[in-house]
Amino acid sequence: MPHTSEHIRTENITGKTADAKGTRTEQIRNIALAGHAGAGKTLLLEALLLAGGAIQTAGSIDRGNTVSDTDSQEKARAHSIDSCVAHLDHGGCHLNLIDTAGHAEFFGATLSALAAVETVAVVVNAINGIEHGTRELMKHARERGLARLLVINKIDFDGADLRALVEALREEFGSECLPVNLPAGHGKRVLDCFFHSEGSSDFSSLAEAHQRILDQVVEINEATMGQYLESGEAALTPRQLHDAFEQCLREGHLVPICFVSARTGAGIHELLELAARLLPNPAEGNPPPFVGGDGEPLVIDANPSSHVIADVFKIVNDPFMGKLGIFRVWQGTIRRDSQLLIDDGRKPFKVNHLFRVQGKTYTEIDVAMPGDIAAVAKVEDIHFDAVLHDSHDEDRITLAPPTFPSPTYCLALETKPKGQEQKLAVALARLIEEEPCFSVEHHKAPNATVVRGLSELHLRVMLERVRERYGVEVTTHPLDMSTA
Ligand SMILES: Nc1nc2c(ncn2[C@@H]2O[C@H](COP(=O)(O)OP(=O)(O)OP(=O)(O)O)[C@@H](O)[C@H]2O)c(=O)[nH]1
Ligand SMILES: [Mg+2]
């Protein structure tokens, strides 16, 4: 059962609780695109936004004009560094998508995004197969109890052995990994095999693949299984299929595999259909790990008329917008003009402006419903991991953060020219707000500012930002780790 009451469902269905656009909680899908570097997540986001009509032309990694990779270093390195929130509408649903970085040095932002979604789409490179990032993200998503989807990308490549890759995925991640669609016409098309059973694909018949995934799904629920055995597949309603599918994802009984080419657009429509029809909505999925003031797990409820509970999973210091806190609403409704508290802070702040986020574009909205992702600007006390709420009853609740890797790599810094220490301190403080795996400390003997991160590359990127964004040049010295 979803962790919500019938009460919400009914209220939502009456339409009383929709946002200005009419989107109700059960129409929202929150999906993180994650996986190894270079698997094609950023280009996949472009293809999805294009197919959903959210952009008119797809950007490319080479031209550096994607919605997601907007930072100068992301463009120069042709890799994502920060996570990027975007959205589109498809099939009566509102999809919030979060593109994440695949390089392990940037996992701070990547793992933070997992706290905001029900589903993680782990993107796998059809040519390279299973890589370190594939395993890491499958593990983190499972540990957090999230629905997982394996998206095999780059099926347009001639040399891709997709049949072997499916077998390798099943071997590595379990026999619950099953194709929900299949490539056809040498990767030029993708055919759904969950709702359809006729036709042939590049490997396996649709009938065979259909039978396998349907058997896996219906067996999760005795009533559905009974009905299926007695009256056949045609007797199952779309609602029953959705609920059984969702339960399978929640319980780890199914990891659907789907196929796409972010380059040619093959499989993109099928992926959007899958999201709209079968993936969990915010009132479904496993409950997020909130802890109440008494230290006990707190079950939140995606009810629009409950007290507000939202969690800030991303901070952006934007040169034009100022400091932005991007959050996921878990329960209650946030409106422009709402008064919100931050953690156990006494003084509320007023939501003067509420934004929907499309990469670097922020559009004003009036309402953010339970399950939705939105942003507030210019709230100085807001921070990563902050719980926003509107009643002192929720003063001490927290959402367990993802398990971040420890920042163990250190460098000592000096400003060039000397005397810009204050400017450096401000710049570092801003960057630390955005990046949970980056920290700074001051050593007394010898007197030094020391930064810590996940690798040398990670720190180089951060220090380049110090130079580019805040105009402070630094020289660095490796640090004797025994004294660090
Ligand atoms: N042929 C082909 N190339 C693709 C496809 N998807 C992505 N690419 C290319 O693969 C490279 C990596 O794509 P990205 O989208 O940047 O990969 P990413 O997963 O976002 O990588 P990180 O941001 O480093 O994690 C780029 O050169 C893309 O143009 C695809 O479906 N087919
Ligand atoms: Mg990327």
Side-chain angles (χ1 to χ4, degrees), residues 261-438:
S261 164
R263 173 75 39 91
T264 66
I268 297 296
H269 175 79
E270 288 71 17
L271 178 53
L272 289 174
E273 282 289 293
L274 170 71
R277 295 172 78 171
L278 295 173
L279 293 186
N281 71 48
E284 298 172 324
N286 288 313
F290 272 102
V291 178
D294 54 3
E296 292 296 317
L298 181 92
V299 179
I300 61 105
D301 140 17
N303 189 331
S305 39
S306 295
H307 288 175
V308 166
I309 297 180
D311 176 69
V312 178
F313 65 93
K314 181 174 165 69
I315 296 288
V316 180
N317 287 301
D318 185 275
F320 305 107
M321 303 285 295
K323 182 171 171 181
L324 286 146
I326 305 181
F327 55 83
R328 150 82 193 249
V329 185
W330 288 96
Q331 66 172 43
T333 304
I334 298 183
R335 297 172 201 283
R336 190 199 312 230
D337 295 340
S338 290
Q339 299 273 343
L340 295 180
L341 295 152
I342 304 175
D343 301 328
D344 57 359
R346 297 279 97 197
K347 208 167 145 260
F349 71 90
K350 185 173 164 201
V351 179
N352 290 319
H353 303 278
L354 188 63
F355 298 100
R356 201 176 268 313
V357 185
Q358 187 75 295
K360 281 277 170 206
T361 307
Y362 303 94
T363 311
E364 284 218 38
I365 51 172
D366 295 324
V367 180
M369 302 296 295
D372 214 347
I373 290 177
V376 285
K378 299 193 175 72
V379 180
E380 208 32 58
D381 291 345
I382 214 162
H383 60 91
F384 166 72
D385 221 13
V387 173
L388 308 180
H389 56 103
D390 62 354
S391 156
H392 285 297
D393 290 357
E394 279 83 32
D395 274 353
R396 290 174 53 230
I397 73 165
T398 51
L399 177 64
T403 318
F404 291 115
S406 308
T408 47
Y409 194 87
C410 303
L411 282 175
L413 309 182
E414 258 176 41
T415 61
K416 193 173 70 175
K418 286 199 168 46
Q420 296 204 312
E421 285 71 21
Q422 190 51 36
K423 235 174 133 187
L424 175 64
V426 171
L428 291 174
R430 286 290 179 212
L431 292 175
I432 286 163
E433 286 179 330
E434 297 180 359
E435 165 53 291
C437 294
F438 178 58

Side-chain angles (χ1 to χ4, degrees), residues 89-142:
D89 293 327
H90 176 85
C93 288
H94 178 78
L95 273 61
N96 291 311
L97 301 167
I98 311 181
D99 179 28
T100 65
H103 270 305
E105 21 261 306
F106 308 124
F107 267 13
T110 298
L111 298 179
S112 306
L114 302 194
V117 297
E118 281 74 42
T119 304
V120 181
V122 178
V123 183
V124 184
N125 184 329
I127 300 294
N128 297 1
I130 301 168
E131 298 176 89
H132 173 71
T134 323
R135 295 189 180 93
E136 281 296 295
L137 268 306
M138 285 293 281
K139 179 173 82 96
H140 281 283
R142 192 190 169 97

